């Protein structure tokens, strides 16, 4: 359509005509959007799409992604029936295991695939050989087979989607390069192309590996690095009448195969990966003329992959190579897509598909189009949301470190509690050095170094008796139980300085917050309120505490990883509801936060302050400025572990002194420094919810057991109507389950069954050291939530019995917290 004149106005402009842009356009058209333009600087598919290997697998480690890939398959099947078919071939796929651990992973996947109705089944060595006769079965233990996986021609798929989009009214302009994107009052206003300017409301950056460059046009960081990814295609050798081979993945050998005409396509994820670095100091500047091009073959780096392939499929060592592809593809720091609205209103991104963009494209197009039309995600997309990336990823070098580690670990088995080694040490608590000197073992969250637990190597006789069975036990540590019991029996001191802390101030800030929070958060200066902010469907977008600190000033505290997400939601709501005078400030790095919790917390704190800390003078869920050891701190009487105590907010400069004073004062009361692993166990026992754990944008407060934090006395707040409706038809409830053996700890996503019928999947799980049981939470149909109901949890193919319990599992009368 390049001959046609470029319009001067459009509601939505999509930048990029790869499979991503075409799918977003297709789905926008399906949703009835008629005023949509798609622009590409070259031809359709001239980025990564044209050189893709085209394998389409559905099962992923993330439930949302699995649902999205299932939509892709449905769509590709349907497109086959149109006048522009996508060349979809439903050849099935096999994954093989050459190690016991891989076989365990396969059994676990088979378990949770049941919760999606996916027909993934275990197969033995003989069936693997029957399905893929070219294979050398030596060393194979077993595998799994999914009949509905397949392969597609990426270019034909893109053209099929583009044709569908055109039929729905989308206008496509190729050879049209976007040069600038402009915003007014932080809201998209127009774009400038080499063919003219277009006024628009929404821009969707579907630039694949070019997405970072496109983001820079507006000063928005998109943390994507182009990585070189290679595969080869053999000469044709399969007999004409041979049945089509299924795709084959051999992750232990880092390789994948699929049939290509009458030959094989084989690729893999090398241990010595390589970013496509375009200059000595740039990781994402792509030459302006890099259209429909490839990188030079890098045989040396491919050698190990080729050797592994010839071992597994011996004919690979004999047959000639017809084509060798080295193509760049955009990777993100965690191998998940980068989707959603950025910090600029109306500027969306759908990029960074990490070499599974063909499998994902159908689903990606659907969820992004829905997000644009609804103005909010229509399912839980947190793992793919651009707002999950901390500001540390503004550095391309930092991004590259993590991208490299994750690329090379693409096929690795990942165990619970695993920590990344690269891109560490970016954000530190002001008392990091104290932790280090006191034997802290650190973990990383959103580029913050945080204490997981403390362990002095010289300590002996640690109690190993609670080490969980199987994978959960691998990164488990006995010190966590000791810390758990310190908080329950004496006192624990936790450094939570990484918490995201946001100040909302200005005229009408009270009115604004009450219009977006489900709870009444305006109950006077010094009151702290636990609340959720809901989307229009009544789903939980944010989960935090709000403290009123002045007439027109509020202090919000939320999880470490949710700063950009929660702040972004506040800013978006401000724009949407027209509260233009309100200021939203990030205080996360200005203030340290320490939690002191346990029966002795009051005694310890009283030693350091003249303020009255009695139950009457300092009530639960209130907040005051105190002097602790002569230093001004904000003390909030709240708990995330279910014990008496306070969170103390202190300026960074004074943090070490306050911490040291607390440690000294606590010595006689058995105070112990504790880490985040203990918090997890303590909060699970107490039933405190975690966003992105048990609650998310797809769950509403009533089904999550958070009805107590909804104030229906307020006549209006975002999501109220939908919430009321949902409450009338509540079909499922977040339910606490316990397993008798504390060592039988689920990992998450396991199917929950009654009489062999799947009724749900595990949301979160852990150990409850005080109740001496393993704990799991799951959304179950209301009729299955009667206390005492027995259910089965399938873990690694083995059934374990669990019991529905009354919540909370610990201190149901809240005597400890309110004492
Ligand atoms: C070797 C290789 C093998 C792969 N194998 C598989 C596989 O088996 N299965 C699978 O699922 N995935 C696979 N992938 C991944 C998949 O190909 C990609 O994820 C997908 O093609 C990316 O699509 P995209 O639309 O995001 O980006 P692209 O296809 O790169 O499209 C981006 C478009 O944006 C345009 N553009 C950029 N800047 C501008 C501008 N300023 N103005 C206008 N237009 C602009 C470009 O011209 C380009 O056409 C593979 C990738 C590679 C490299």
């Amino acid at each position: 359509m390049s001959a046609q004149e470029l319009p001067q106005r459009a509601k939505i402009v999509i930048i990029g005509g790869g499979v991503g842009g075409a799918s977003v356009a297709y789905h926008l058209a399906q949703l009835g959007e008629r005023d949509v333009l798609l622009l590409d600087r070259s031809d359709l598919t001239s980025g990564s799409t044209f050189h893709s290997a085209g394998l389409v697998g559905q099962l992923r480690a993330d439930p949302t992604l699995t649902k999205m890939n299932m939509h892709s398959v449905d769509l590709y099947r349907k497109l086959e029936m149109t006048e522009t078919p996508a060349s979809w071939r439903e050849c099935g796929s096999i994954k093989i295991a050459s190690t016991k651990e891989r076989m365990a992973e396969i059994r676990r996947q088979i378990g949770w695939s049941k919760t999606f109705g996916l027909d993934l089944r275990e197969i033995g060595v003989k069936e693997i050989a029957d399905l893929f006769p070219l294979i050398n079965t030596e060393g194979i233990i077993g595998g799994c087979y999914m009949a509905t996986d397949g392969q597609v021609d990426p270019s034909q798929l893109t053209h099929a989607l583009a044709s569908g989009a055109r039929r729905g009214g989308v206008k496509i302009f190729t050879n049209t390069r976007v040069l600038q994107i402009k915003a007014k009052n932080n809201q998209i206003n127009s774009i400038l192309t080499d063919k003219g300017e277009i006024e628009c409301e929404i821009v969707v950056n579907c630039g694949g590996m070019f997405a970072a460059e496109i983001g820079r046009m507006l000063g928005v960081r998109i943390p994507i690095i182009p990585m070189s990814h290679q595969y080869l295609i053999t000469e044709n050798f399969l007999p004409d009448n041979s049945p089509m081979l299924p795709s084959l993945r051999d992750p232990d050998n880092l390789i994948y195969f699929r049939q290509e005409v009458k030959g094989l396509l084989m690729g893999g994820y090398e241990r010595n990966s390589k970013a496509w670095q375009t200059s000595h100091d740039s990781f994402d500047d792509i030459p302006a003329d890099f259209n429909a091009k490839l990188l030079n073959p890098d045989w040396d780096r491919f050698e190990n992959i080729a050797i592994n392939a010839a071992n597994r499929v011996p004919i690979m060592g004999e047959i000639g190579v017809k084509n060798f592809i080295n193509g760049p593809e955009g990777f993100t720091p965690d191998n998940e897509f980068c989707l959603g609205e950025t910090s600029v209103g109306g500027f969306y991104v759908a990029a960074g598909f990490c070499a599974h963009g063909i499998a994902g494209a159908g689903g990606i197009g659907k969820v992004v189009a829905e997000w644009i039309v609804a103005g909010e995600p229509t399912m839980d997309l947190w793992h793919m949301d651009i707002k999950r990336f901390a500001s540390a990823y503004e550095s391309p070098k930092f991004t590259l470190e993590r991208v490299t580690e994750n690329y090379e670990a693409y096929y690795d088995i990942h165990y619970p509690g695993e920590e990344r080694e690269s891109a560490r040490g970016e954000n530190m608590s002001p008392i990091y050095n104290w932790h280090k000197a006191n034997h802290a073992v650190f973990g990383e969250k959103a580029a913050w170094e945080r204490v997981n637990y403390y362990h002095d190597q010289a300590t002996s006789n640690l109690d190993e008796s609670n080490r969980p069975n199987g994978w959960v036990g691998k990164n488990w540590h006995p010190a966590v139980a000791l810390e758990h019991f310190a908080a329950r029996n004496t006192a624990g001191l936790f450094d939570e300085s990484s918490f995201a802390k946001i100040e909302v101030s200005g005229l009408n800030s009270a009115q604004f917050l009450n219009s977006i929070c489900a709870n009444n958060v305006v109950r006077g200066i010094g009151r702290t309120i636990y609340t959720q902010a809901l989307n229009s469907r009544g789903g939980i977008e944010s989960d935090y505490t709000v403290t009123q600190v002045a007439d027109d000033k509020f202090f919000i505290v939320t999880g470490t990883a949710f700063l950009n997400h929660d702040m972004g939601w506040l800013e978006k709501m401000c724009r949407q509801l027209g509260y233009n005078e309100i200021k939203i400030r990030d205080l996360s790095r200005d203030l340290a936060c320490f939690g002191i919790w346990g029966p002795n917390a009051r005694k310890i704190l009283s030693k350091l302050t003249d303020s009255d800390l009695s139950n009457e003078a300092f009530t639960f869920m209130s907040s005051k400025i105190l002097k602790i050891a002569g230093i001004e701190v904000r003390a909030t009487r709240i708990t995330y572990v279910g014990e008496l105590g306070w969170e103390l907010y202190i300026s960074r400069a004074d943090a070490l002194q306050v911490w040291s004073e607390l440690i000294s004062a606590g010595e006689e009361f058995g105070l112990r420094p504790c880490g985040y692993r203990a918090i997890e166990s303590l909060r699970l026992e107490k039933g405190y919810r975690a966003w992105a754990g048990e609650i998310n944008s797809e769950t509403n407060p009533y089904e999550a057991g958070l009805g107590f934090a909804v104030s229906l006395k307020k006549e209006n707040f975002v999501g109220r109507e939908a919430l009321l409706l949902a409450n009338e038809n509540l079909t499922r409830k977040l339910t606490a389950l316990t397993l008798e053996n504390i060592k039988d700890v689920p990992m998450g996503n396991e199917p929950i069954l009654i009489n062999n019928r799947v009724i749900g999947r595990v949301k979160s799980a852990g150990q409850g050291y005080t109740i001496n049981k393993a704990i799991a939470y799951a959304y179950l149909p209301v009729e299955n939530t009667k206390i005492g109901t027995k259910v089965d949890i399938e873990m690694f193919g083995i059934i374990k019995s669990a019991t529905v319990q009354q919540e909370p599992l610990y201190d149901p009368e809240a005597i400890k917290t309110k004492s």
Side-chain angles (χ1 to χ4, degrees):
M1 192 177 274
S2 303
Q4 205 178 307
E5 208 177 309
L6 196 69
Q8 291 176 350
R9 224 217 133 267
K11 182 177 171 195
I12 305 172
V13 177
I14 300 168
I15 307 173
V19 72
S23 184
V24 172
Y26 174 91
H27 285 89
L28 281 170
Q30 293 285 307
L31 291 174
E33 289 293 336
R34 296 287 169 257
D35 194 9
V36 181
L37 293 187
L38 185 152
L39 313 177
D40 198 287
R41 69 185 203 170
S42 178
D43 290 322
L44 294 183
T45 78
S46 59
S48 298
T49 300
F50 82 94
H51 51 72
S52 177
L55 280 83
V56 177
Q58 296 166 87
L59 190 74
R60 292 281 161 173
D62 171 54
T64 307
L65 187 51
T66 304
K67 281 187 216 160
M68 286 163 65
N69 287 6
M70 287 168 74
H71 172 75
S72 295
V73 166
D74 269 357
L75 175 65
Y76 303 167
R77 242 185 236 141
K78 271 187 215 142
L79 289 174
E80 258 347 73
M81 311 296 156
T82 65
E83 62 216 47
T84 45
S87 193
W88 167 247
R89 292 172 293 266
E90 203 155 312
C91 56
S93 79
I94 301 171
K95 177 170 162 182
I96 57 173
S98 310
T99 61
K100 274 190 187 160
E101 289 295 272
R102 186 69 66 182
M103 201 59 225
E105 181 191 50
I106 286 177
R107 293 206 169 114
R108 176 172 152 72
Q109 289 184 325
I110 289 172
W112 66 270
S113 71
K114 290 179 193 168
T115 68
F116 296 100
L118 272 176
D119 188 19
L120 182 73
R121 64 182 174 86
E122 186 170 334
I123 52 176
V125 177
K126 178 170 180 312
E127 196 171 353
I128 293 170
D130 290 346
L131 287 163
F132 202 100
L134 303 168
I135 203 164
N136 165 18
T137 56
E138 199 184 319
I140 298 179
I141 298 175
C144 60
Y145 176 67
M146 176 108 82
T148 53
D149 279 350
Q151 52 165 282
V152 70
D153 180 305
S155 293
Q156 284 193 45
L157 170 62
T158 308
H159 284 283
L161 290 164
S163 298
R166 275 196 195 99
R167 284 196 292 276
V170 175
K171 296 191 181 77
I172 298 179
F173 290 84
T174 52
N175 297 304
T176 306
R177 184 181 295 255
V178 175
L179 304 170
Q180 266 183 50
I181 309 173
K182 298 180 190 171
K184 243 190 205 161
N185 298 329
N186 207 36
Q187 186 77 38
I188 284 292
N189 183 246
S190 65
I191 61 162
L192 181 69
T193 75
D194 56 0
K195 305 267 164 65
E197 187 152 1
I198 306 167
E199 210 183 296
C200 55
E201 293 163 32
I202 288 166
V203 169
V204 197
N205 175 354
C206 292
M209 63 179 161
F210 309 85
E213 178 180 303
I214 294 169
R216 274 198 291 277
M217 295 177 188
L218 254 185
V220 170
R221 168 74 181 145
I222 315 276
I224 288 174
I225 303 274
M227 299 290 286
S228 135
H229 188 66
Q230 309 194 94
Y231 66 80
L232 59 76
I233 297 172
T234 69
E235 301 283 0
N236 290 339
F237 64 92
L238 291 160
D240 279 345
N241 55 357
S242 59
M244 185 154 190
L245 292 168
S247 309
L248 175 70
R249 290 182 183 80
D250 181 359
D252 296 315
N253 285 306
L254 313 173
I255 46 176
Y256 60 79
F257 299 84
R258 75 161 170 83
Q259 184 170 333
E260 168 68 16
V261 194
K262 291 291 160 193
L264 285 179
L265 178 155
M266 183 280 291
Y269 288 84
E270 320 87 319
R271 291 281 183 214
N272 49 347
S273 68
K274 194 158 189 282
W276 179 33
Q277 194 170 347
T278 49
S279 74
H280 79 281
D281 61 351
S282 166
F283 300 104
D284 52 25
D285 270 341
I286 298 166
D289 64 348
F290 195 86
N291 302 315
K293 288 187 181 170
L294 292 170
L295 305 176
N296 292 328
D298 189 346
W299 277 104
D300 287 349
R301 257 185 339 105
F302 203 67
E303 195 183 347
N304 280 340
I305 298 282
I307 293 170
N308 291 354
N311 286 339
R312 184 52 74 213
V313 177
I315 200 157
M316 293 299 296
E318 298 158 26
I319 213 81
V321 173
K322 191 166 73 178
N323 215 344
F324 187 83
I325 303 287
N326 182 359
E329 155 75 336
F331 276 76
T332 63
D334 55 7
N335 281 344
E336 295 272 16
F337 307 145
C338 188
L339 309 180
E341 195 174 15
T342 65
S343 52
V344 177
F347 186 37
Y348 286 79
V349 61
F353 297 166
C354 311
H356 48 277
I358 305 299
I364 291 166
K366 178 175 186 289
V367 300
V368 173
E370 286 174 355
W371 197 329
I372 291 166
V373 171
E376 61 190 30
T378 51
M379 61 197 290
D380 171 30
L381 292 168
W382 165 243
H383 299 293
M384 302 168 206
D385 191 332
I386 174 143
K387 297 215 168 81
R388 73 188 183 277
F389 292 115
S391 55
Y393 290 103
E394 276 162 23
S395 151
K397 191 170 167 293
F398 186 86
T399 309
L400 174 66
E401 274 186 41
R402 188 55 68 80
V403 165
T404 302
E405 183 178 359
N406 276 325
Y407 180 99
E408 291 172 6
Y410 194 89
Y411 271 146
D412 286 359
I413 295 172
H414 297 289
Y415 299 109
E418 206 174 79
E419 295 288 347
R420 291 279 167 264
E421 284 168 16
S422 63
R424 296 290 299 262
E426 184 67 14
N427 292 325
M428 267 99 80
S429 153
I431 54 165
Y432 175 83
N433 288 334
W434 187 95
H435 296 314
K436 217 168 162 204
N438 286 276
H439 315 288
V441 176
F442 292 95
E444 180 259 356
K445 186 91 166 191
W448 279 87
E449 293 296 318
R450 310 193 312 175
V451 178
N452 279 343
Y453 52 87
Y454 299 84
H455 169 55
D456 183 349
Q457 302 286 349
T459 320
S460 53
N461 297 331
L462 281 168
D463 180 6
E464 282 285 327
S465 63
N466 283 334
R467 183 175 288 278
N469 298 322
W471 289 13
V472 183
K474 285 191 190 282
N475 293 307
W476 179 89
H477 200 278
V480 177
L482 298 177
E483 294 173 10
H484 171 113
F485 284 119
R488 288 275 182 259
N489 301 329
T490 52
L493 186 60
F494 300 79
D495 180 2
E496 300 183 309
S497 297
S498 63
F499 268 169
K501 310 162 202 95
I502 304 167
E503 185 186 85
V504 177
S505 64
L507 190 65
N508 296 329
S509 45
Q511 195 184 344
F512 164 64
L513 283 175
N514 252 354
S515 66
I516 66 155
C517 292
N519 211 341
N520 174 13
V521 295
V522 188
R523 299 195 205 175
I525 294 170
R527 291 292 305 277
T528 298
I529 310 296
Y530 172 52
T531 188
Q532 285 78 44
L534 309 182
N535 56 35
S536 65
R537 293 166 289 122
I540 302 171
E541 278 297 334
S542 306
D543 174 77
Y544 42 56
T545 57
V546 181
T547 302
Q548 186 168 8
V549 295
D551 283 340
D552 271 331
K553 199 184 274 185
F554 294 81
F555 181 58
I556 295 180
V557 180
T558 183
T560 304
F562 310 138
L563 175 68
N564 289 337
H565 180 272
D566 290 358
M567 206 157 141
W569 186 259
L570 287 162
E571 286 166 348
K572 184 183 168 74
M573 288 295 114
C574 252
R575 282 196 302 272
Q576 227 165 59
L577 304 175
Y579 285 92
N580 302 325
E581 310 85 4
I582 286 178
K583 286 199 175 58
I584 299 173
R585 267 207 315 153
D586 169 21
L587 301 180
S588 308
R589 288 184 215 210
D590 300 347
L591 296 172
C593 172
F594 305 145
I596 177 160
W597 289 307
N600 294 340
R602 183 178 284 123
K603 291 180 207 149
I604 297 167
L605 217 50
S606 296
K607 277 179 72 180
L608 300 173
T609 182
D610 294 334
S611 301
D612 184 355
L613 301 180
S614 68
N615 211 12
E616 298 69 36
F618 205 142
T619 52
F620 187 57
M621 300 304 277
S622 63
S623 180
K624 292 181 184 183
I625 303 290
L626 304 183
K627 280 213 163 153
I628 301 239
I631 292 165
E632 204 165 86
V633 309
R634 169 166 290 285
T636 303
R637 186 158 167 215
I638 196 170
T639 175
Y640 197 46
V641 303
E643 299 295 337
L644 165 70
W646 284 263
E647 273 172 7
L648 308 174
Y649 295 89
I650 312 138
S651 76
R652 273 184 81 93
D654 294 326
L656 179 59
Q657 194 184 334
V658 171
W659 180 271
S660 308
E661 298 274 0
L662 287 165
I663 291 285
S664 309
E667 212 169 319
E668 62 174 305
F669 297 106
L671 178 75
R672 187 181 181 114
C674 305
Y676 271 86
R677 295 262 169 95
I679 294 184
E680 184 63 7
S681 152
L682 292 158
R683 74 139 193 122
L684 286 173
E685 271 185 350
K686 188 64 187 165
Y688 292 141
R689 299 344 188 196
W691 198 80
E694 300 84 24
I695 53 176
N696 58 43
S697 61
E698 274 182 55
T699 61
N700 72 55
Y702 287 121
E703 61 193 5
L706 296 173
F708 68 89
V710 177
S711 171
L712 291 177
K713 284 193 200 133
K714 290 196 301 177
E715 278 179 14
N716 210 2
F717 57 84
V718 175
R720 189 178 189 274
E721 263 172 49
L723 185 62
L724 285 179
L725 208 65
N727 196 28
E728 278 170 26
N729 306 298
L730 218 58
T731 53
R732 59 177 194 164
K733 238 175 83 183
L734 184 61
T735 308
L737 302 163
T738 56
L739 296 95
E740 274 311 303
N741 185 350
I742 192 172
K743 296 183 184 184
D744 287 338
V745 188
M747 283 170 53
N749 287 327
E750 291 86 350
I752 300 177
L753 310 105
I754 288 186
N755 296 331
N756 273 333
R757 187 173 57 85
V758 177
I759 58 161
R761 76 171 77 92
V762 173
K763 261 296 202 200
S764 59
Q767 287 182 307
Y769 299 107
T770 302
I771 63 168
N772 194 26
K773 288 184 171 63
I775 304 168
Y777 285 89
Y779 285 89
L780 297 185
V782 172
E783 61 272 21
N784 299 124
T785 56
K786 204 166 152 254
I787 309 304
T789 303
K790 297 275 179 215
V791 299
D792 292 328
I793 303 183
E794 186 183 320
M795 291 158 59
F796 294 94
I798 296 165
I799 296 289
K800 301 280 175 184
S801 175
T803 311
V804 173
Q805 300 288 1
Q806 180 80 51
E807 276 197 80
L809 304 169
Y810 172 75
D811 189 23
E813 309 294 328
I815 292 164
K816 301 268 185 180
T817 46
K818 297 189 178 161
S819 59

